[in-house]
Coordinates of all heavy atoms in Angstrom, one line a residue:
M694 N 29.6 -48.7 1.5 CA 28.7 -47.9 0.7 C 29.4 -47.5 -0.6 O 30.5 -47.0 -0.5 CB 28.1 -46.7 1.4 CG 27.1 -46.0 0.6 SD 26.0 -44.9 1.5 CE 27.1 -43.6 2.1
R695 N 28.8 -47.7 -1.7 CA 29.4 -47.4 -3.0 C 29.4 -45.9 -3.2 O 28.4 -45.2 -2.9 CB 28.6 -48.1 -4.1 CG 29.3 -48.0 -5.4 CD 28.5 -48.8 -6.4 NE 27.2 -48.2 -6.6 CZ 26.3 -48.8 -7.4 NH1 26.5 -49.9 -7.9 NH2 25.2 -48.2 -7.6
R696 N 30.4 -45.3 -3.7 CA 30.4 -43.8 -4.1 C 29.8 -43.6 -5.4 O 29.9 -44.5 -6.3 CB 31.9 -43.3 -4.1 CG 32.6 -43.4 -2.8 CD 31.7 -42.8 -1.7 NE 32.3 -41.6 -1.2 CZ 31.6 -40.8 -0.4 NH1 30.5 -41.1 0.0 NH2 32.2 -39.7 0.0
D697 N 29.2 -42.5 -5.6 CA 28.5 -42.2 -6.8 C 29.4 -41.4 -7.7 O 29.8 -40.2 -7.5 CB 27.3 -41.3 -6.4 CG 26.4 -41.0 -7.6 OD1 26.8 -41.4 -8.7 OD2 25.4 -40.3 -7.5
P698 N 29.9 -42.0 -8.8 CA 30.9 -41.4 -9.6 C 30.3 -40.2 -10.4 O 31.1 -39.2 -10.7 CB 31.3 -42.4 -10.6 CG 30.2 -43.4 -10.6 CD 29.5 -43.4 -9.2
G699 N 29.1 -40.1 -10.6 CA 28.4 -39.0 -11.2 C 28.1 -37.8 -10.4 O 27.6 -36.8 -10.8
N700 N 28.4 -38.0 -9.1 CA 28.1 -36.9 -8.1 C 26.7 -36.4 -8.2 O 26.4 -35.2 -8.2 CB 29.1 -35.8 -8.2 CG 29.1 -34.9 -7.0 OD1 28.7 -35.3 -5.9 ND2 29.5 -33.6 -7.2
T701 N 25.7 -37.3 -8.3 CA 24.3 -36.9 -8.5 C 23.6 -36.9 -7.1 O 22.4 -36.6 -7.1 CB 23.6 -37.9 -9.4 OG1 23.7 -39.2 -8.9 CG2 24.2 -37.8 -10.8
R702 N 24.2 -37.0 -6.1 CA 23.6 -37.0 -4.8 C 23.3 -35.6 -4.4 O 24.2 -34.7 -4.6 CB 24.4 -37.7 -3.7 CG 24.4 -39.2 -3.9 CD 25.3 -39.8 -2.9 NE 25.5 -41.1 -3.5 CZ 25.4 -42.2 -2.7 NH1 25.1 -42.1 -1.4 NH2 25.6 -43.4 -3.2
N703 N 22.2 -35.3 -3.9 CA 21.8 -34.0 -3.6 C 22.1 -33.6 -2.1 O 21.9 -34.5 -1.3 CB 20.3 -33.7 -3.7 CG 19.9 -33.3 -5.1 OD1 20.8 -32.9 -5.9 ND2 18.6 -33.3 -5.4
S704 N 22.6 -32.5 -1.9 CA 22.7 -32.0 -0.5 C 21.3 -31.6 -0.1 O 20.4 -31.6 -0.9 CB 23.6 -30.8 -0.4 OG 23.0 -29.7 -1.1
R705 N 21.1 -31.4 1.2 CA 19.7 -31.1 1.7 C 19.1 -29.8 1.0 O 18.0 -29.9 0.5 CB 19.8 -30.9 3.2 CG 18.4 -30.6 3.7 CD 18.5 -30.4 5.2 NE 17.1 -30.1 5.7 CZ 16.8 -29.9 6.9 NH1 17.7 -30.0 7.9 NH2 15.6 -29.6 7.3
P706 N 19.9 -28.8 0.8 CA 19.3 -27.6 0.1 C 19.0 -27.9 -1.3 O 17.9 -27.5 -1.8 CB 20.5 -26.5 0.2 CG 21.2 -26.9 1.4 CD 21.2 -28.4 1.4
Q707 N 19.8 -28.7 -2.0 CA 19.4 -29.1 -3.4 C 18.2 -29.9 -3.5 O 17.4 -29.8 -4.3 CB 20.6 -29.8 -4.0 CG 21.8 -28.9 -4.3 CD 23.0 -29.7 -4.7 OE1 23.3 -30.8 -4.2 NE2 23.8 -29.2 -5.7
A708 N 18.1 -30.9 -2.5 CA 16.9 -31.8 -2.5 C 15.7 -31.0 -2.2 O 14.6 -31.2 -2.8 CB 17.1 -32.9 -1.4
E709 N 15.8 -30.0 -1.2 CA 14.6 -29.1 -0.9 C 14.2 -28.3 -2.1 O 13.0 -28.1 -2.4 CB 14.9 -28.3 0.3 CG 15.0 -29.1 1.6 CD 15.5 -28.3 2.8 OE1 15.9 -27.1 2.6 OE2 15.4 -28.8 3.9
E710 N 15.2 -27.8 -2.8 CA 15.0 -26.9 -4.0 C 14.2 -27.7 -5.1 O 13.3 -27.3 -5.7 CB 16.3 -26.4 -4.5 CG 16.1 -25.5 -5.7 CD 17.4 -24.9 -6.2 OE1 18.2 -24.4 -5.3 OE2 17.7 -24.9 -7.4
T711 N 14.7 -29.0 -5.3 CA 14.1 -29.9 -6.3 C 12.6 -30.2 -5.8 O 11.7 -30.2 -6.7 CB 14.9 -31.2 -6.4 OG1 16.3 -30.8 -6.9 CG2 14.3 -32.1 -7.5
A712 N 12.4 -30.5 -4.6 CA 11.1 -30.8 -4.1 C 10.2 -29.6 -4.3 O 9.0 -29.7 -4.7 CB 11.1 -31.2 -2.7
A713 N 10.7 -28.4 -4.0 CA 9.8 -27.2 -4.2 C 9.5 -27.0 -5.7 O 8.4 -26.5 -6.0 CB 10.6 -26.0 -3.6
A714 N 10.5 -27.2 -6.6 CA 10.2 -27.1 -8.0 C 9.2 -28.1 -8.4 O 8.3 -27.7 -9.2 CB 11.5 -27.3 -8.8
I715 N 9.2 -29.3 -7.9 CA 8.2 -30.4 -8.3 C 6.8 -29.8 -7.8 O 5.8 -30.0 -8.5 CB 8.6 -31.7 -7.7 CG1 9.8 -32.2 -8.4 CG2 7.4 -32.7 -7.8 CD1 10.4 -33.4 -7.7
L716 N 6.8 -29.4 -6.6 CA 5.5 -28.9 -6.0 C 5.0 -27.8 -6.8 O 3.8 -27.7 -7.2 CB 5.6 -28.5 -4.5 CG 4.4 -28.0 -3.9 CD1 3.3 -29.2 -3.8 CD2 4.7 -27.6 -2.4
G717 N 5.8 -26.8 -7.2 CA 5.4 -25.7 -8.0 C 4.9 -26.1 -9.4 O 3.9 -25.6 -9.9
W718 N 5.6 -27.1 -10.0 CA 5.2 -27.6 -11.3 C 3.8 -28.3 -11.1 O 3.0 -28.1 -12.0 CB 6.3 -28.6 -11.8 CG 5.9 -29.1 -13.1 CD1 6.0 -28.5 -14.4 CD2 5.4 -30.5 -13.4 NE1 5.6 -29.4 -15.3 CE2 5.2 -30.6 -14.8 CE3 5.2 -31.6 -12.6 CZ2 4.8 -31.8 -15.3 CZ3 4.7 -32.7 -13.1 CH2 4.5 -32.9 -14.5
L719 N 3.6 -29.1 -10.1 CA 2.4 -29.8 -9.9 C 1.2 -28.8 -9.7 O 0.1 -29.1 -10.3 CB 2.5 -30.8 -8.7 CG 3.2 -32.1 -8.9 CD1 3.3 -32.8 -7.6 CD2 2.5 -33.0 -10.0
A720 N 1.5 -27.7 -9.0 CA 0.5 -26.7 -8.8 C 0.0 -26.2 -10.1 O -1.2 -25.7 -10.2 CB 1.0 -25.7 -7.9
N721 N 0.8 -26.1 -11.1 CA 0.5 -25.6 -12.4 C 0.0 -26.6 -13.4 O -0.3 -26.3 -14.6 CB 1.7 -24.8 -13.0 CG 1.9 -23.5 -12.3 OD1 1.0 -22.7 -12.1 ND2 3.1 -23.3 -11.9
E722 N -0.1 -27.9 -12.9 CA -0.6 -29.0 -13.7 C -1.8 -29.6 -13.0 O -1.6 -30.7 -12.3 CB 0.5 -30.0 -14.0 CG 1.7 -29.5 -14.7 CD 1.4 -29.3 -16.2 OE1 0.5 -29.9 -16.7 OE2 2.1 -28.4 -16.7
P723 N -3.0 -29.0 -13.1 CA -4.1 -29.4 -12.3 C -4.4 -30.9 -12.4 O -4.8 -31.6 -11.4 CB -5.2 -28.6 -12.8 CG -4.7 -27.5 -13.5 CD -3.3 -27.9 -14.0
D724 N -4.4 -31.5 -13.7 CA -4.7 -32.9 -13.8 C -3.7 -33.8 -13.1 O -4.0 -34.7 -12.4 CB -4.7 -33.3 -15.3 CG -5.9 -32.7 -16.0 OD1 -6.9 -32.3 -15.3 OD2 -5.9 -32.6 -17.2
M725 N -2.4 -33.4 -13.2 CA -1.3 -34.2 -12.6 C -1.4 -34.0 -11.0 O -1.3 -35.0 -10.3 CB 0.0 -33.7 -13.1 CG 1.1 -34.6 -12.8 SD 1.0 -36.2 -13.6 CE 0.8 -35.8 -15.4
L726 N -1.7 -32.8 -10.6 CA -1.8 -32.6 -9.1 C -3.0 -33.4 -8.6 O -2.9 -34.1 -7.5 CB -2.1 -31.1 -8.8 CG -2.2 -30.8 -7.3 CD1 -1.0 -31.2 -6.5 CD2 -2.5 -29.3 -7.2
G727 N -4.1 -33.4 -9.3 CA -5.3 -34.2 -8.9 C -5.0 -35.7 -8.8 O -5.3 -36.4 -7.8
R728 N -4.2 -36.2 -9.7 CA -3.9 -37.6 -9.7 C -2.9 -37.9 -8.5 O -3.1 -38.9 -7.9 CB -3.1 -37.9 -11.1 CG -2.7 -39.3 -11.2 CD -2.2 -39.6 -12.6 NE -1.6 -40.9 -12.7 CZ -0.4 -41.3 -12.9 NH1 0.5 -40.3 -13.2 NH2 0.0 -42.5 -12.9
F729 N -2.0 -37.0 -8.3 CA -1.0 -37.2 -7.1 C -1.8 -37.2 -5.8 O -1.6 -38.1 -5.0 CB 0.0 -36.1 -7.1 CG 0.8 -36.1 -5.8 CD1 1.6 -37.1 -5.5 CD2 0.7 -35.0 -4.9 CE1 2.3 -37.2 -4.3 CE2 1.3 -35.0 -3.8 CZ 2.2 -36.1 -3.4
L730 N -2.7 -36.2 -5.7 CA -3.5 -36.1 -4.5 C -4.4 -37.4 -4.3 O -4.5 -37.9 -3.1 CB -4.3 -34.9 -4.4 CG -3.6 -33.5 -4.3 CD1 -4.5 -32.4 -4.4 CD2 -2.7 -33.5 -3.1
A731 N -4.9 -37.8 -5.4 CA -5.8 -39.1 -5.3 C -5.0 -40.3 -4.8 O -5.4 -41.1 -4.0 CB -6.5 -39.3 -6.6
L732 N -3.8 -40.4 -5.4 CA -2.9 -41.5 -5.1 C -2.3 -41.4 -3.7 O -2.1 -42.4 -3.0 CB -1.8 -41.6 -6.1 CG -2.3 -42.1 -7.5 CD1 -1.1 -42.0 -8.4 CD2 -2.7 -43.5 -7.5
S733 N -2.1 -40.2 -3.2 CA -1.4 -40.0 -1.9 C -2.4 -40.0 -0.8 O -2.1 -40.2 0.4 CB -0.6 -38.7 -1.9 OG -1.5 -37.6 -1.9
G734 N -3.7 -39.7 -1.1 CA -4.7 -39.6 -0.1 C -4.7 -38.2 0.7 O -5.4 -38.0 1.6
V735 N -3.9 -37.4 0.3 CA -3.8 -36.0 0.8 C -4.8 -35.1 0.2 O -5.0 -35.1 -1.0 CB -2.3 -35.4 0.6 CG1 -2.3 -33.9 1.1 CG2 -1.3 -36.2 1.3
Q736 N -5.5 -34.4 1.1 CA -6.5 -33.5 0.7 C -5.9 -32.2 0.3 O -4.9 -31.8 0.9 CB -7.6 -33.3 1.7 CG -8.4 -34.6 2.2 CD -9.1 -35.2 1.0 OE1 -9.9 -34.4 0.3 NE2 -9.0 -36.4 0.8
P737 N -6.5 -31.4 -0.6 CA -5.9 -30.1 -1.0 C -5.7 -29.2 0.2 O -4.6 -28.5 0.2 CB -6.9 -29.5 -2.0 CG -7.6 -30.8 -2.6 CD -7.6 -31.7 -1.5
N738 N -6.6 -29.2 1.1 CA -6.5 -28.3 2.3 C -5.4 -28.9 3.3 O -5.0 -28.1 4.2 CB -7.8 -28.1 3.0 CG -8.3 -29.4 3.6 OD1 -7.9 -30.5 3.2 ND2 -9.3 -29.3 4.5
Q739 N -4.8 -30.0 3.1 CA -3.8 -30.5 3.9 C -2.4 -30.3 3.4 O -1.4 -30.5 4.1 CB -4.0 -32.1 4.1 CG -5.2 -32.5 4.8 CD -5.4 -34.0 4.8 OE1 -5.2 -34.6 3.8 NE2 -5.9 -34.5 5.9
M740 N -2.3 -29.8 2.1 CA -1.0 -29.7 1.5 C -0.1 -28.7 2.2 O 1.1 -28.9 2.3 CB -1.2 -29.3 0.0 CG -1.6 -30.5 -0.8 SD -1.5 -30.2 -2.6 CE 0.2 -29.9 -2.8
R741 N -0.6 -27.6 2.7 CA 0.2 -26.6 3.3 C 1.0 -27.2 4.5 O 2.2 -26.9 4.7 CB -0.6 -25.5 3.9 CG 0.2 -24.3 4.4 CD -0.7 -23.1 4.6 NE -1.2 -22.7 3.3 CZ -1.3 -21.4 3.0 NH1 -1.2 -20.5 3.9 NH2 -1.7 -21.1 1.8
N742 N 0.4 -28.1 5.3 CA 1.1 -28.7 6.4 C 1.9 -29.9 5.9 O 3.0 -30.2 6.4 CB 0.2 -29.2 7.4 CG -0.5 -28.1 8.2 OD1 0.2 -27.0 8.4 ND2 -1.7 -28.2 8.6
A743 N 1.5 -30.6 4.9 CA 2.1 -31.8 4.3 C 3.5 -31.5 3.8 O 4.4 -32.3 3.9 CB 1.3 -32.5 3.3
V744 N 3.7 -30.3 3.2 CA 5.0 -30.0 2.6 C 6.1 -29.9 3.7 O 7.2 -29.9 3.3 CB 4.9 -28.7 1.8 CG1 4.0 -28.8 0.7 CG2 4.6 -27.5 2.6
N745 N 5.8 -29.9 4.9 CA 6.8 -29.9 6.0 C 7.2 -31.4 6.4 O 8.0 -31.5 7.2 CB 6.3 -29.2 7.2 CG 6.2 -27.7 6.8 OD1 7.0 -27.1 6.3 ND2 5.0 -27.1 7.2
D746 N 6.5 -32.4 5.8 CA 6.7 -33.8 6.2 C 7.6 -34.3 5.1 O 7.3 -34.4 3.9 CB 5.4 -34.4 6.2 CG 5.6 -35.9 6.5 OD1 6.7 -36.5 6.7 OD2 4.5 -36.6 6.5
P747 N 8.9 -34.8 5.5 CA 9.7 -35.5 4.5 C 9.1 -36.6 3.9 O 9.5 -36.9 2.7 CB 11.0 -35.8 5.4 CG 10.9 -35.0 6.6 CD 9.5 -34.7 6.8
G748 N 8.2 -37.4 4.5 CA 7.6 -38.5 3.9 C 6.7 -38.1 2.8 O 6.6 -38.8 1.8
F749 N 6.0 -36.9 2.9 CA 5.2 -36.4 1.9 C 6.0 -36.0 0.7 O 5.7 -36.3 -0.5 CB 4.4 -35.2 2.4 CG 3.7 -34.5 1.3 CD1 2.4 -34.9 0.8 CD2 4.2 -33.3 0.7 CE1 1.7 -34.3 -0.2 CE2 3.5 -32.6 -0.3 CZ 2.3 -33.1 -0.8
L750 N 7.2 -35.4 0.9 CA 8.0 -34.9 -0.1 C 8.6 -36.1 -0.8 O 8.7 -36.1 -2.1 CB 9.2 -34.0 0.4 CG 8.7 -32.7 1.0 CD1 9.9 -31.9 1.6 CD2 8.0 -31.9 0.0
A751 N 9.0 -37.2 -0.1 CA 9.5 -38.4 -0.7 C 8.4 -39.0 -1.6 O 8.7 -39.4 -2.8 CB 9.9 -39.4 0.4
G752 N 7.2 -39.1 -1.1 CA 6.1 -39.6 -2.0 C 5.8 -38.7 -3.2 O 5.5 -39.3 -4.3
M753 N 6.0 -37.4 -3.1 CA 5.7 -36.6 -4.2 C 6.9 -36.8 -5.3 O 6.5 -36.9 -6.5 CB 5.8 -35.1 -3.8 CG 5.5 -34.1 -4.9 SD 5.6 -32.4 -4.2 CE 7.3 -32.3 -3.7
I754 N 8.1 -36.9 -4.8 CA 9.2 -37.2 -5.8 C 9.0 -38.6 -6.4 O 9.2 -38.8 -7.6 CB 10.5 -37.0 -5.1 CG1 10.7 -35.5 -4.7 CG2 11.7 -37.4 -6.0 CD1 11.8 -35.3 -3.8
D755 N 8.7 -39.6 -5.6 CA 8.5 -40.9 -6.1 C 7.3 -41.0 -7.1 O 7.4 -41.7 -8.0 CB 8.2 -41.9 -4.9 CG 9.4 -42.2 -4.1 OD1 10.5 -41.8 -4.5 OD2 9.3 -42.8 -3.0
F756 N 6.3 -40.2 -6.9 CA 5.2 -40.1 -7.8 C 5.8 -39.7 -9.2 O 5.5 -40.2 -10.3 CB 4.2 -39.0 -7.3 CG 3.2 -38.7 -8.4 CD1 2.1 -39.5 -8.7 CD2 3.2 -37.4 -9.0 CE1 1.2 -39.1 -9.7 CE2 2.3 -37.0 -10.0 CZ 1.3 -37.9 -10.3
L757 N 6.6 -38.7 -9.2 CA 7.3 -38.2 -10.4 C 8.1 -39.3 -11.1 O 8.1 -39.6 -12.2 CB 8.0 -37.0 -10.1 CG 8.2 -36.0 -11.3 CD1 7.0 -35.3 -11.7 CD2 9.3 -34.9 -10.8
M758 N 9.0 -39.9 -10.2 CA 9.9 -40.9 -10.7 C 9.2 -42.2 -11.1 O 9.8 -42.9 -11.9 CB 10.8 -41.3 -9.5 CG 11.7 -40.2 -9.0 SD 13.2 -39.9 -10.1 CE 14.0 -41.5 -9.9
G759 N 8.0 -42.4 -10.7 CA 7.3 -43.7 -11.0 C 6.7 -43.7 -12.4 O 6.2 -44.7 -12.9
H760 N 6.7 -42.5 -13.1 CA 6.1 -42.4 -14.4 C 7.0 -41.6 -15.3 O 7.1 -40.4 -15.2 CB 4.7 -41.8 -14.3 CG 3.9 -41.9 -15.6 ND1 3.5 -40.8 -16.2 CD2 3.5 -42.9 -16.3 CE1 2.9 -41.1 -17.3 NE2 2.8 -42.5 -17.4
E761 N 7.8 -42.3 -16.2 CA 8.8 -41.6 -17.0 C 8.3 -40.4 -17.8 O 9.0 -39.4 -17.8 CB 9.6 -42.6 -17.8 CG 10.7 -42.0 -18.6 CD 11.5 -42.9 -19.4 OE1 11.1 -44.1 -19.5 OE2 12.6 -42.5 -19.9
P762 N 7.1 -40.5 -18.4 CA 6.7 -39.4 -19.2 C 6.4 -38.2 -18.3 O 6.7 -37.0 -18.7 CB 5.4 -39.9 -19.8 CG 5.5 -41.4 -19.9 CD 6.3 -41.7 -18.7
T763 N 5.9 -38.4 -17.1 CA 5.7 -37.3 -16.2 C 7.0 -36.7 -15.7 O 7.2 -35.5 -15.6 CB 4.9 -37.8 -14.9 OG1 3.6 -38.4 -15.4 CG2 4.6 -36.6 -14.0
L764 N 8.0 -37.5 -15.4 CA 9.3 -37.1 -15.0 C 9.9 -36.3 -16.1 O 10.4 -35.1 -15.8 CB 10.2 -38.3 -14.7 CG 11.7 -38.0 -14.5 CD1 11.9 -37.1 -13.3 CD2 12.5 -39.3 -14.4
L765 N 9.9 -36.7 -17.3 CA 10.4 -36.0 -18.4 C 9.7 -34.7 -18.7 O 10.3 -33.7 -19.1 CB 10.5 -36.9 -19.7 CG 11.4 -38.1 -19.6 CD1 11.3 -38.9 -20.8 CD2 12.8 -37.7 -19.2
A766 N 8.4 -34.7 -18.5 CA 7.6 -33.4 -18.7 C 8.1 -32.4 -17.6 O 8.3 -31.2 -18.0 CB 6.1 -33.7 -18.6
F767 N 8.2 -32.8 -16.4 CA 8.7 -32.0 -15.4 C 10.1 -31.4 -15.7 O 10.4 -30.2 -15.6 CB 8.7 -32.7 -14.0 CG 9.6 -31.9 -13.0 CD1 9.1 -30.7 -12.4 CD2 10.9 -32.4 -12.7 CE1 9.9 -30.1 -11.5 CE2 11.7 -31.7 -11.8 CZ 11.2 -30.5 -11.2
C768 N 11.0 -32.3 -16.1 CA 12.4 -32.0 -16.4 C 12.4 -31.0 -17.6 O 13.2 -30.0 -17.5 CB 13.2 -33.2 -16.7 SG 13.5 -34.2 -15.2
E769 N 11.6 -31.2 -18.6 CA 11.6 -30.3 -19.7 C 11.1 -28.9 -19.3 O 11.7 -27.9 -19.7 CB 10.8 -30.8 -20.8 CG 10.8 -30.0 -22.1 CD 10.1 -30.6 -23.3 OE1 10.1 -31.8 -23.4 OE2 9.4 -29.9 -24.0
A770 N 10.0 -28.9 -18.6 CA 9.4 -27.6 -18.2 C 10.3 -26.8 -17.2 O 10.1 -25.6 -17.2 CB 8.0 -27.9 -17.5
T771 N 11.1 -27.5 -16.4 CA 11.9 -26.8 -15.4 C 13.3 -26.8 -15.7 O 14.1 -26.2 -14.9 CB 11.6 -27.3 -14.0 OG1 12.0 -28.7 -14.0 CG2 10.2 -27.2 -13.6
D772 N 13.7 -27.3 -16.8 CA 15.2 -27.4 -17.1 C 16.0 -28.1 -16.0 O 17.0 -27.6 -15.6 CB 15.8 -26.0 -17.5 CG 17.1 -26.1 -18.2 OD1 17.3 -27.1 -19.0 OD2 17.9 -25.2 -18.1
T773 N 15.4 -29.2 -15.6 CA 16.0 -30.0 -14.5 C 16.4 -31.3 -15.0 O 15.7 -31.9 -15.9 CB 15.0 -30.3 -13.4 OG1 14.5 -29.0 -12.9 CG2 15.6 -31.1 -12.2
K774 N 17.6 -31.8 -14.7 CA 18.1 -33.1 -15.2 C 17.4 -34.2 -14.4 O 17.2 -34.1 -13.2 CB 19.6 -33.2 -15.0 CG 20.4 -32.3 -15.8 CD 21.8 -32.5 -15.6 CE 22.6 -31.6 -16.5 NZ 24.1 -31.8 -16.2
P775 N 17.0 -35.3 -15.0 CA 16.4 -36.4 -14.3 C 17.3 -36.9 -13.2 O 16.8 -37.3 -12.2 CB 16.3 -37.5 -15.4 CG 16.1 -36.7 -16.7 CD 17.0 -35.6 -16.5
E776 N 18.6 -36.8 -13.4 CA 19.5 -37.3 -12.3 C 19.3 -36.4 -11.0 O 19.5 -36.9 -9.9 CB 21.0 -37.2 -12.8 CG 21.3 -38.2 -13.9 CD 20.9 -37.5 -15.3 OE1 20.4 -36.4 -15.4 OE2 21.2 -38.3 -16.3
T777 N 19.0 -35.2 -11.2 CA 18.8 -34.3 -10.1 C 17.5 -34.8 -9.3 O 17.5 -34.8 -8.1 CB 18.6 -32.8 -10.5 OG1 19.8 -32.5 -11.2 CG2 18.4 -31.9 -9.4
V778 N 16.5 -35.1 -10.0 CA 15.3 -35.7 -9.4 C 15.6 -37.0 -8.7 O 15.2 -37.2 -7.5 CB 14.1 -35.8 -10.3 CG1 12.9 -36.4 -9.7 CG2 13.8 -34.5 -11.0
A779 N 16.4 -37.8 -9.3 CA 16.8 -39.1 -8.7 C 17.5 -38.9 -7.4 O 17.3 -39.6 -6.4 CB 17.6 -40.0 -9.7
A780 N 18.4 -37.9 -7.4 CA 19.3 -37.6 -6.3 C 18.3 -37.1 -5.1 O 18.5 -37.4 -3.9 CB 20.3 -36.6 -6.6
A781 N 17.3 -36.2 -5.4 CA 16.4 -35.7 -4.4 C 15.6 -36.9 -3.9 O 15.4 -37.0 -2.7 CB 15.5 -34.7 -5.0
S782 N 15.2 -37.9 -4.7 CA 14.5 -39.1 -4.3 C 15.3 -39.8 -3.3 O 14.9 -40.3 -2.3 CB 14.1 -39.9 -5.5 OG 13.5 -41.1 -5.0
H783 N 16.6 -40.0 -3.7 CA 17.5 -40.7 -2.8 C 17.7 -40.0 -1.4 O 17.7 -40.7 -0.3 CB 18.9 -40.9 -3.5 CG 19.9 -41.7 -2.7 ND1 20.6 -41.3 -1.7 CD2 20.2 -43.0 -2.9 CE1 21.3 -42.2 -1.2 NE2 21.1 -43.3 -2.0
H784 N 17.7 -38.7 -1.4 CA 17.8 -37.9 -0.2 C 16.6 -38.2 0.7 O 16.8 -38.4 1.9 CB 17.9 -36.4 -0.5 CG 17.9 -35.5 0.7 ND1 19.0 -35.3 1.5 CD2 16.9 -34.9 1.2 CE1 18.7 -34.5 2.5 NE2 17.3 -34.2 2.4
Y785 N 15.4 -38.1 0.1 CA 14.2 -38.2 1.0 C 13.8 -39.6 1.3 O 13.3 -40.0 2.3 CB 13.0 -37.5 0.3 CG 13.2 -36.0 0.5 CD1 13.5 -35.2 -0.6 CD2 12.9 -35.4 1.7 CE1 13.5 -33.8 -0.4 CE2 13.0 -34.0 1.9 CZ 13.4 -33.2 0.8 OH 13.5 -31.9 1.0
S786 N 14.0 -40.6 0.3 CA 13.6 -42.0 0.5 C 14.7 -42.9 0.9 O 14.4 -44.0 1.3 CB 13.0 -42.5 -0.8 OG 11.9 -41.7 -1.2
G787 N 15.9 -42.5 0.7 CA 17.0 -43.4 1.0 C 17.3 -44.3 -0.2 O 16.6 -44.3 -1.2
P788 N 18.3 -45.1 -0.1 CA 18.6 -46.0 -1.2 C 17.7 -47.2 -1.3 O 17.0 -47.6 -0.3 CB 20.1 -46.5 -0.9 CG 20.0 -46.4 0.6 CD 19.2 -45.3 1.1
G789 N 17.4 -47.5 -2.5 CA 16.6 -48.7 -2.8 C 17.4 -50.0 -2.8 O 18.6 -49.9 -2.8
L790 N 16.8 -51.1 -2.8 CA 17.5 -52.4 -2.8 C 18.3 -52.6 -4.0 O 19.3 -53.3 -4.0 CB 16.5 -53.5 -2.6 CG 15.8 -53.6 -1.3 CD1 14.8 -54.8 -1.3 CD2 16.8 -53.8 -0.2
D791 N 17.9 -52.0 -5.2 CA 18.6 -52.2 -6.4 C 19.8 -51.1 -6.5 O 20.5 -51.1 -7.6 CB 17.7 -52.0 -7.6 CG 17.0 -50.7 -7.7 OD1 17.0 -49.9 -6.7 OD2 16.4 -50.5 -8.8
S792 N 20.0 -50.3 -5.5 CA 21.0 -49.2 -5.6 C 22.4 -49.7 -5.3 O 23.4 -49.0 -5.7 CB 20.6 -48.0 -4.8 OG 20.8 -48.4 -3.4
G793 N 22.5 -50.8 -4.6 CA 23.8 -51.2 -4.1 C 24.3 -50.4 -2.9 O 25.5 -50.6 -2.4
D794 N 23.5 -49.4 -2.4 CA 23.9 -48.6 -1.3 C 23.2 -49.0 0.0 O 23.2 -48.2 1.0 CB 23.5 -47.1 -1.6 CG 24.4 -46.5 -2.6 OD1 25.5 -47.1 -2.9 OD2 24.0 -45.5 -3.2
Y795 N 22.6 -50.1 0.1 CA 21.9 -50.5 1.4 C 22.8 -51.1 2.4 O 23.9 -51.5 2.1 CB 20.7 -51.4 1.1 CG 21.0 -52.6 0.2 CD1 21.4 -53.7 0.7 CD2 21.0 -52.4 -1.2 CE1 21.8 -54.8 -0.1 CE2 21.3 -53.5 -2.0 CZ 21.7 -54.7 -1.5 OH 22.0 -55.7 -2.3

């Protein structure tokens, strides 16, 4: 497995903190939250339980990562580096085929 020279991998607490920040940001962006819920199939009343599911958190982070303008809006609003979000994505989703870490 290749080592990450930029040390952008998140520990579990950092990944959880990033996921919580994304959820909080989405909660304050009704249009974006609606889009995420529509794409994920999660109903608003299911979110309280869904946040305990690592798969839901992975999907939420992937939603952000899949649209650069949304990612950058989150990063700007929360003073979070895109690399931090990418590391949280790696924590919850694992390495992708293009990462060299499979």
Side-chain angles (χ1 to χ4, degrees):
M694 182 161 71
R695 189 173 71 186
R696 296 311 251 169
D697 185 0
N700 196 25
T701 58
R702 292 177 193 228
N703 272 345
S704 66
R705 182 178 178 180
Q707 291 170 321
E709 289 174 352
E710 183 178 310
T711 301
I715 293 169
L716 184 61
W718 180 77
L719 282 173
N721 289 308
E722 298 289 332
D724 291 340
M725 199 62 59
L726 179 61
R728 182 170 173 244
F729 168 68
L730 292 176
L732 290 171
S733 70
V735 174
Q736 299 297 313
N738 62 344
Q739 297 173 319
M740 284 190 64
R741 187 169 294 214
N742 291 327
V744 297
N745 296 314
D746 177 2
F749 172 81
L750 298 176
M753 182 181 66
I754 296 168
D755 288 348
F756 168 77
L757 205 68
M758 294 281 296
H760 189 244
E761 186 176 6
T763 303
L764 171 64
L765 295 178
F767 164 77
C768 290
E769 184 177 326
T771 62
D772 197 29
T773 302
K774 293 180 180 180
E776 296 85 0
T777 301
V778 179
S782 176
H783 187 279
H784 173 81
Y785 284 107
S786 298
L790 292 177
D791 61 346
S792 71
D794 288 343
Y795 48 91

